[in-house]
Amino acid sequence: MSKLAKIVLGITVIFVFIAVIGFVAEHLERSPQINIGSLCPVSNSTASFCIVKDGEPYYFAIEGWIEPNSTIMERYLKLFEFGLYKGWGGAYYGSGLLLFLKVRTNLNWEWYVSIVECRVGELYGWCFLGSISYAIKVNDDTYLVPYVLDRDFWESFKIVKDYYMNASDVRLYFKVYNFLGLKPDQAIEIGRIFLVCERYHDDVIDIYVVYPRPEFSIIVKDIKYLGKYESRYHILNVSLELRDVGMAVYYTFDKFGRKAGIHGELVPLYILSILQYPPRDMYAVETLNETHYVVAIPVTDDPLGLNMLNGGGFKDVWKEPQHEYIGSYASSGDTIWLSIGLKFNYVVNSTATFVTPWGQVLKVRIPSE
């Protein structure tokens, strides 16, 4: 190689090196810095992150499922200005069994709804629905987000038993504004958190967090037969203990100001029976022959029967001094009772068989007509 060629090659290498250094420096300057010392109030882990952009920290942390005690349940009910029966913003969600997730963040919510997704086969489906609007504020950046059971998921004993009870994790879903300036479909992975810019709404980031599923249960303490109702239903009284879960309900009152009935949502207690045609395919747990099926139907949300008639063991919450009824609650560790209506055709050989996803099987003798 001639001396001139060597000089030209050396100059070319120098310019390429300078260009590479400039590109790297520019890229680092534009990329968000992660977890920069004292600026971040949370660390980066499997369920939390802190990203510093333009000298400002943006953070998000899941701090665990919280056992709903009486203080939490009462504070939750007092968030309902017009009573629990109106639900979350008039959407008629917010009652029934309740779980609470502790979330710490300074991000701006784009959607005040949160979803817990469970894997069913190859797909994710909603199993809990949460409301950030009705979250209990612990301090300026920490919230207890309430979640209720998603009816479409929990009304199927088979889905709950086969998928939820055998799963170790769920997927949490939140929506925030695009604080990072990500491009459509651009994603960042931190621990078990995935930040994804929406394809058609580039001002929104979807946050997915793979997180341990909430461990809760209802334990049936006793079931008693009370008698018949309208010659079509058997009435039973069910005593339940709540473990690591709360429950919110609201009563209706008669003209004398007495409690006349109770309204809530689905409770994972199912009646086993044999029907020729299941009211919904998701209720079938076994095929006996071409026409008959073993079904498991939720007794508090039966499409062919009665919902809950009444109940007790709940603490009432009132808005004072107006003395306006808000709702009633039971907290973790409490024992409640519910009266339920059971259609005659659910009884097999003078026996009603109840099951729960937590392995309880209870048989109740029903007197013959």
Side-chain angles (χ1 to χ4, degrees):
M1 182 181 292
S2 66
K3 184 176 181 181
L4 178 60
K6 290 181 180 180
I7 292 174
V8 172
L9 178 62
I11 293 174
T12 301
V13 170
I14 291 173
F15 274 108
V16 170
F17 179 75
I18 292 173
V20 170
I21 292 296
F23 173 80
V24 171
E26 181 181 4
H27 179 74
L28 289 176
E29 182 179 352
R30 293 180 179 179
S31 298
Q33 297 174 315
I34 297 180
N35 199 11
I36 306 298
S38 60
L39 289 177
C40 287
V42 303
S43 61
N44 289 302
S45 67
T46 57
S48 63
F49 68 81
C50 181
I51 297 176
V52 175
K53 182 181 179 183
D54 300 329
E56 294 293 330
Y58 297 87
Y59 57 90
F60 182 90
I62 303 297
E63 299 189 346
W65 297 103
I66 305 299
E67 182 178 5
N69 57 32
S70 59
T71 300
I72 290 174
M73 293 300 300
E74 184 171 352
R75 288 187 61 185
Y76 169 73
L77 281 182
K78 287 183 176 180
L79 295 173
F80 291 84
E81 182 179 357
F82 301 105
L84 181 63
Y85 77 99
K86 286 288 189 180
W88 294 337
Y92 300 101
Y93 290 98
S95 59
L97 295 179
L98 281 160
L99 301 167
F100 289 86
L101 183 69
K102 190 175 184 180
V103 179
R104 185 181 183 189
T105 186
N106 68 341
L107 304 182
N108 292 321
W109 304 109
E110 193 278 334
W111 194 34
Y112 283 84
V113 174
S114 174
I115 306 297
V116 178
E117 300 175 315
C118 296
R119 190 70 175 263
V120 179
E122 297 298 320
L123 303 175
Y124 277 102
W126 294 11
C127 47
F128 300 95
L129 178 66
S131 172
I132 295 167
S133 297
Y134 285 83
I136 299 171
K137 192 171 184 179
V138 178
N139 52 45
D140 289 342
D141 67 353
T142 306
Y143 307 85
L144 300 182
V145 181
Y147 290 86
V148 297
L149 277 60
D150 182 79
R151 182 178 301 171
D152 289 341
F153 184 91
W154 287 88
E155 68 180 351
S156 173
F157 174 80
K158 184 174 178 59
I159 289 177
V160 174
K161 185 68 175 176
D162 291 350
Y163 293 100
Y164 184 79
M165 300 305 294
N166 290 321
S168 58
D169 297 318
V170 294
R171 189 170 72 171
L172 310 175
Y173 175 67
F174 304 87
K175 274 189 176 187
V176 298
Y177 283 103
N178 190 351
F179 64 98
L180 288 175
L182 297 180
K183 303 299 183 183
D185 286 335
Q186 187 177 358
I188 293 178
E189 179 179 350
I190 304 171
R192 303 182 78 186
I193 302 176
F194 301 87
L195 307 177
V196 184
C197 179
E198 290 193 359
R199 176 174 299 178
Y200 301 109
H201 301 90
D202 59 6
D203 61 335
V204 177
I205 288 180
D206 296 329
I207 299 180
Y208 298 93
V209 186
V210 180
Y211 198 72
R213 71 175 176 89
E215 299 282 351
F216 75 98
S217 61
I218 60 167
I219 304 301
V220 180
K221 308 294 286 186
D222 187 34
I223 302 180
K224 292 181 179 179
Y225 178 74
L226 299 181
K228 297 176 183 178
Y229 176 74
E230 292 184 349
S231 300
R232 291 184 297 165
Y233 302 99
H234 298 291
I235 306 302
L236 298 99
N237 192 87
V238 183
S239 296
L240 304 168
E241 180 185 346
L242 307 179
R243 294 184 181 178
D244 297 307
V245 67
M247 187 171 182
V249 299
Y250 64 91
Y251 286 93
T252 56
F253 294 81
D254 63 19
K255 293 183 178 180
F256 297 96
R258 300 171 302 193
K259 291 177 179 176
I262 192 172
H263 293 266
E265 295 295 330
L266 182 147
V267 174
L269 174 65
Y270 307 82
I271 176 74
L272 280 184
S273 189
I274 298 175
L275 297 181
Q276 184 172 1
Y277 300 106
R280 296 180 186 172
D281 290 341
M282 65 181 62
Y283 292 154
V285 295
E286 183 182 347
T287 302
L288 292 181
N289 51 47
E290 293 182 354
T291 59
H292 287 77
Y293 304 83
V294 177
V295 297
I297 296 177
V299 297
T300 57
D301 195 43
D302 177 8
L304 299 181
L306 292 174
N307 290 328
M308 291 179 286
L309 300 174
N310 217 321
F314 300 94
K315 300 176 180 67
D316 300 333
V317 177
W318 298 81
K319 182 179 180 181
E320 301 294 357
Q322 301 92 326
H323 197 65
E324 296 174 354
Y325 176 66
I326 297 175
S328 305
Y329 72 87
S331 52
S332 175
D334 289 345
T335 297
I336 62 172
W337 64 266
L338 303 172
S339 65
I340 57 174
L342 189 68
K343 285 183 72 71
F344 285 2
N345 62 328
Y346 291 167
V347 178
V348 180
N349 296 325
S350 300
T351 301
T353 303
F354 298 88
V355 294
T356 74
W358 297 276
Q360 284 189 283
V361 180
L362 304 103
K363 296 181 179 293
V364 181
R365 187 73 178 171
I366 304 296
S368 300
E369 295 188 52

